[in-house]
Amino acid sequence: MKIQDTLSNTEKELDISKKVKIYLCGVTVYDESHIGHARTIIVFDVLRKYLDSKGVEVEFIQNFTDIDDKIINRAQTENTTAKIISTKYINDYFKDFDELNVKRATNYPKATEHIEDIIKFIEKLIEKQVAYITKNGVYFSISKFPEYGKLSKKKIDELLSGARIEVDEAKKDPLDFAVWKFSDGEPVWNSPWGKGRPGWHIECSAMSTKYLGENFDIHGGGRDLIFPHHENEIAQSESFTGAPFAKIWVHVGMVTINGEKMSKSLGNVKSIKHVLENWGSNIIRLFCLSGHYSKPIDYSEELLKESLTKWRQVETCYYELIHANSKNHEEISSKIKKIGLEFDNALDDDFNTHLALSAFFQLVKEANRLAAEEKLGKDDAQIIKTEFERMLEILGLTIPKMTEDEKQKIDDLIASREQLRKEKQFEDADKIREKLNEMSIELIDHKENTIWMKKENIKAEN
RNA sequence: GGUACUCUGGCAGAACGGUUAUGCGUGGGCCUGCAAAGCCUAUACAAGGGGGUUCGACUCCCUCGGGUACCUCCA
């Protein structure tokens, strides 16, 4: 499997002959998660499920930044503690992402629970003389890391001319960044240098090393983390170990709204909760996977509607497959195999989920075609269903399960409708159909039989 | 201002130095008691502008322009 690496700007082969170790920069828990977070995390979720499906063991670490100025500010305005704020939003996070059918990470380390590790990390940086102490805190000295800027492809003098860097006379270089900030206010921890709290970037260096070792396979996050976050992580970690940090850097493009970035100031942030309520998890996942992960994707009703159309086809396909009972038959196994290969090839080639989805929809179309032509036999359906379910699992799409009781009830209603139709009592027959519609059950009349499908209720559709 | 990425038909989005992408949408049809769903079929002569290389460029090179992101916290 090849993946584009931001650092070398080339495609790199991911070694799947042994356990794959992934570190994903998660969220700062000071507010609701939004659709941008969802995209990054869903992309990594599919990557992970794909590796799972190939039998590759994956260790997946995703941090929570639970100490940060924004959390503290929020706590102050709400007259509460940072701990309460971060706990609340971590709970919200799990609620949202469980509903999005994202598999839980191997571990979700939190900055506040790794202060010891962070302090040890900083101690070594000081020992190696790449970090120094000022009256404000402990700073990493970028002049001690000659390769600074290699990830973001920035030159140090160009960064300086950006002129938007706050001046701190105590720092040796304006670009030096804090690994430890002195502070008296809560929350606060003791350190060998004085009371305070960790800087932002240090937690990821300390925690990734702790859980995954010095050199792991993939380090990822949103594109906006390339600078300064990941650049600084590289500087710290490679200074610490003297060895290369992550093997492959993967960055997921931004979600824009009408071509603009989502931001609080523009007031265009779409929370996951809100979008879930209107569209549900399947549509969101299809939407997030509809473009190449590295490119921006524009959030629009039109695109979501397109995903909805596709989802309806998928639902139909599923119910055609489980009800298939045609006596006719068409040889399809080689075709299905080919589509499955296309799906895998797409993902192997820099994780092209758009092409993988089109392979998936080809499969759906093939099944629906056979059903329409009354040629979907039980055995054929089984062959297609195996492949269909494999893809569904990797993409993280879910078709709601129904109880046997519900199914029986539906079958009974269909049987009485059939009777009425035979007796040409169409008005009464249609009443039953309407009644089923109200239960989100849609009937599909085939020549030989009538089958039903349960349509997911999508609020935005109404 | 700098840096990175990007610019394909109404929208989304591929491949490839020379062949129809594909999907959504739209038109028509099939199926049906009627619907719905689904299927079939037709439909776009697209490549930001300008140059160049080439027998031939959407694909390579140069240049101009547009967009987004980053340069400050951000997935």
Side-chain angles (χ1 to χ4, degrees), chain A residues 396-411:
Chain A
L397 304 172
T398 47
I399 288 170
K401 293 270 175 292
M402 297 186 68
T403 66
E404 289 305 315
D405 273 5
E406 285 173 305
K407 286 185 195 166
Q408 190 56 51
K409 206 174 149 192
I410 293 164
D411 285 339

Side-chain angles (χ1 to χ4, degrees), chain A residues 91-295:
Chain A
N91 288 337
D92 277 14
Y93 173 92
F94 284 123
K95 210 171 150 243
D96 287 344
F97 283 89
D98 285 349
E99 203 175 330
L100 282 172
N101 194 27
V102 168
K103 183 176 175 181
R104 294 269 179 130
T106 314
N107 205 335
Y108 291 94
K110 301 183 192 92
T112 56
E113 290 171 7
H114 293 79
I115 301 295
E116 285 287 304
D117 301 292
I118 290 169
I119 286 172
K120 274 189 212 147
F121 202 100
I122 296 171
E123 275 179 329
K124 190 159 170 192
L125 292 179
I126 293 173
E127 194 185 303
K128 289 203 162 189
Q129 299 188 323
V130 296
Y132 58 92
I133 303 155
T134 78
K135 63 180 166 47
N136 295 323
V138 182
Y139 287 84
F140 183 89
S141 177
I142 61 142
S143 65
K144 298 287 170 60
F145 190 69
E147 292 175 296
Y148 192 77
K150 68 178 174 178
L151 180 74
S152 55
K153 317 280 182 276
K154 288 181 189 303
K155 295 196 175 69
I156 289 169
D157 47 342
E158 280 164 0
L159 280 169
L160 286 170
S161 68
R164 287 161 77 182
I165 297 146
E166 69 182 88
V167 182
D168 177 350
E169 295 298 329
K171 289 201 287 190
K172 288 182 186 168
D173 185 305
L175 292 173
D176 289 349
F177 54 91
V179 291
W180 189 265
K181 296 176 178 174
F182 293 147
S183 155
D184 285 327
E186 285 294 322
V188 73
W189 290 268
N190 284 316
S191 82
W193 321 285
K195 279 185 174 181
R197 59 177 189 265
W200 176 32
H201 318 293
I202 195 74
E203 65 179 76
C204 288
S205 285
M207 298 192 300
S208 62
T209 306
K210 174 167 181 172
Y211 290 97
L212 298 176
E214 292 184 353
N215 182 232
F216 50 92
D217 297 288
I218 295 177
H219 193 131
R223 273 212 113 72
D224 52 350
L225 294 184
I226 294 175
F227 190 90
H229 187 53
H230 287 161
E231 192 71 60
N232 291 354
E233 277 188 53
I234 290 178
Q236 290 162 350
S237 290
E238 296 193 354
S239 296
F240 181 92
T241 64
F245 193 30
K247 289 181 184 129
I248 307 177
W249 287 87
V250 177
H251 291 102
V252 179
M254 298 292 101
V255 175
T256 58
I257 311 257
N258 298 323
E260 281 177 315
K261 185 185 174 179
M262 272 192 296
S263 78
K264 289 254 155 80
S265 53
L266 286 165
N268 60 357
V269 177
K270 302 281 175 191
S271 76
I272 293 173
K273 214 168 103 187
H274 173 259
V275 185
L276 265 174
E277 203 174 294
N278 285 295
W279 296 92
S281 126
N282 292 313
I283 311 293
I284 295 176
R285 291 187 71 106
L286 287 175
F287 164 76
C288 287
L289 299 169
S290 68
H292 189 93
Y293 73 84
S294 67
K295 291 187 183 173

Side-chain angles (χ1 to χ4, degrees), chain A residues 55-115:
Chain A
V56 178
E57 197 189 338
V58 179
E59 187 162 4
F60 189 90
I61 305 294
Q62 182 184 325
N63 70 302
F64 280 121
T65 298
D66 64 343
I67 189 62
D68 163 274
D69 289 351
K70 275 183 303 219
I71 298 172
I72 296 168
N73 291 342
R74 180 120 193 184
Q76 276 165 0
T77 54
E78 295 191 10
N79 216 356
T80 181
T81 65
K83 180 79 189 161
I84 286 171
I85 292 290
S86 60
T87 305
K88 170 179 166 27
Y89 288 111
I90 286 171
N91 288 337
D92 277 14
Y93 173 92
F94 284 123
K95 210 171 150 243
D96 287 344
F97 283 89
D98 285 349
E99 203 175 330
L100 282 172
N101 194 27
V102 168
K103 183 176 175 181
R104 294 269 179 130
T106 314
N107 205 335
Y108 291 94
K110 301 183 192 92
T112 56
E113 290 171 7
H114 293 79
I115 301 295

